[in-house]
Amino acid sequence: MTRQEATQRATQRATQRATQRATQRAPLNRERVLRAAVALADTTGIDALSMRRLAQELDVVPMALYKHVANKEELLDGMTDAVVGEIDPPGAGPDWRHVVRARILSARRVLLRHPWAARVIESRTGPTPAVLEYLDSTAGIFREGGLSADLTHHVMHAMGSRLLGFSQELFATPGAGGSGESADPAGSADSVAASDPPDPGLAERYPYIAELAAASHDGDSAVGGGCDDQFEFEFALDLLLDGFERLRDQGWTSAR
């Protein structure tokens, strides 16, 4: 065999191996299934997600998925954990309020990247492992910040879904429903009062609502015209944290 022939044969073998690696399907595992499901929900929305559609995305038969997730509910649980796992770990600092604030705003950024996630989290019948771990570590920040177990218990209830970066409110607008972000009552009222063209009858009938609509922050918002949802979220968050600090300083207990 000449040197040229040997070189050609070696090149052919290398090309064949490269082709085999390129065409070889990556092994299917739970992590890959969940990662693909999250990406699919980000692209098409949570309502379009189905086991069949996910199988098509992964180029496998639907039954192959059930080796890694028992059913769609378990898939949604896993997707919840995958998203919550993206939240930054708690930082360090002398002021517990700043640590909690930074972590909650990290959670909010994650949910804004995955607008379907808030609705899925709300739909779970119980907290998933990643959610429990997140809540436990957040409770630890309150406790290490000097809040009693009693006060921390009530703080966690007062914060509610804000701990995970989203708010649950009374009214939802069409723009909010698809994103998992609920509109607040003021935002819904603003949308009515700020109709285009303005309805003088509404302003006359609801004068204080008209005032709220005039005191706007941003005309393009997921929580209704005239509201800046990020501003409103941070405003309420800071208000709560400052209130918790005052209760801590007062030595508040629920026994009072």
Side-chain angles (χ1 to χ4, degrees), residues 172-232:
T173 62
S179 67
E181 179 76 16
S182 296
D184 65 12
S188 300
D190 287 352
S191 297
V192 173
S195 58
D196 186 18
D199 185 339
L202 286 176
E204 183 178 349
R205 186 174 181 182
Y206 309 112
Y208 296 113
I209 295 300
E211 282 186 336
L212 294 180
S216 62
H217 303 293
D218 185 356
D220 182 15
S221 168
V223 297
C227 289
D228 178 340
D229 47 341
Q230 184 67 25
F231 179 92
E232 307 297 351

Side-chain angles (χ1 to χ4, degrees), residues 135-213:
L135 295 177
D136 182 74
S137 64
T138 302
I141 300 172
F142 289 124
R143 293 289 288 119
E144 292 171 9
L147 280 68
S148 68
D150 182 23
L151 179 54
T152 297
H153 172 90
H154 291 280
V155 161
M156 299 285 281
H157 278 286
M159 293 290 288
S161 66
R162 288 184 188 277
L163 287 167
L164 284 161
F166 67 99
S167 57
Q168 297 166 309
E169 306 292 355
L170 293 179
F171 306 121
T173 62
S179 67
E181 179 76 16
S182 296
D184 65 12
S188 300
D190 287 352
S191 297
V192 173
S195 58
D196 186 18
D199 185 339
L202 286 176
E204 183 178 349
R205 186 174 181 182
Y206 309 112
Y208 296 113
I209 295 300
E211 282 186 336
L212 294 180

Side-chain angles (χ1 to χ4, degrees), residues 60 64 74 85 99 114 128 134 137 145 154 175 188 194 207 251 256:
V60 298
E74 187 173 308
V99 177
H114 307 290
T128 62
Y134 175 84
S137 64
H154 291 280
S188 300
R256 291 186 176 182

